[in-house]
Amino acid sequence: LSGRDLRGVRKLAQRRLTPLIAPGVQLYGMDLEGASLQGSNLAGADLRAAILRGADLRGVNLSGAKLNHADLRDARMGPLLIATGRFLPARLDGAEARYADFRGAELKRLRLSGADLSYADLSDADLSGSEMDGCELSGAKLPMRFAEAAGA
């Protein structure tokens, strides 16, 4: 499905889509609420304005993906324990996630290096152990504990 435009697909909410290998796929504005995308490769995907509320995104590669205005409330995005006993990290490094809604999302040990999270709502998100070097956080709403640790 690499680079395919799936915007014509009616609804993928609550579907099991693991592991989807679809770098660069077009999912602009798609309803993926509660979908299971564990271990998927969606690097460079267009997920702008997509509804990913409550989706299972553990171990997903979203490097360079476009997530502007996406709804990721209560999504699970931490590492995924695979059969070999190793952890597959979830990645958002270099992603564009301006104005994305991450309220209440589980973002533990997530690679966010170089991501643009300008004006994103990260309040109540769990960012513990996440790599955030070079993140753009202008205007972002940060979790209280994170803001206090940053001296904001």
Side-chain angles (χ1 to χ4, degrees):
L1 295 175
S2 298
R4 299 285 172 120
D5 187 343
L6 299 180
R7 291 177 291 175
V9 177
R10 292 262 182 218
K11 187 174 178 181
L12 295 173
Q14 307 299 326
R15 302 280 185 189
R16 184 182 173 110
L17 303 169
T18 57
L20 185 63
I21 309 301
V25 69
Q26 303 294 312
L27 294 166
Y28 179 89
M30 292 288 303
D31 184 354
L32 295 159
E33 183 174 355
S36 178
L37 291 156
Q38 299 171 356
S40 294
N41 181 354
L42 300 173
D46 185 352
L47 290 156
R48 291 173 296 156
I51 301 167
L52 292 155
R53 192 173 326 133
D56 188 346
L57 302 169
R58 290 174 295 151
V60 170
N61 181 357
L62 288 164
S63 299
K66 293 181 173 119
L67 292 154
N68 302 327
H69 297 279
D71 182 351
L72 291 131
R73 285 178 284 170
D74 301 315
R76 296 176 64 199
M77 296 184 75
L80 175 65
L81 179 62
I82 54 178
T84 61
R86 294 182 31 228
F87 281 99
L88 180 65
R91 300 182 61 165
L92 266 172
D93 41 325
E96 294 177 17
R98 293 184 296 270
Y99 297 96
D101 189 345
F102 290 97
R103 286 178 290 174
E106 183 182 306
L107 307 174
K108 293 178 186 175
R109 298 186 305 266
L110 186 66
R111 292 184 190 168
L112 288 157
S113 301
D116 185 353
L117 299 170
S118 303
Y119 303 98
D121 190 345
L122 295 153
S123 55
D124 299 321
D126 184 352
L127 290 161
S128 56
S130 292
E131 298 173 23
M132 299 184 69
D133 299 333
C135 269
E136 178 57 54
L137 295 168
S138 300
K141 293 180 185 173
L142 301 173
M144 186 62 71
R145 290 179 303 240
F146 185 83
E148 288 169 357

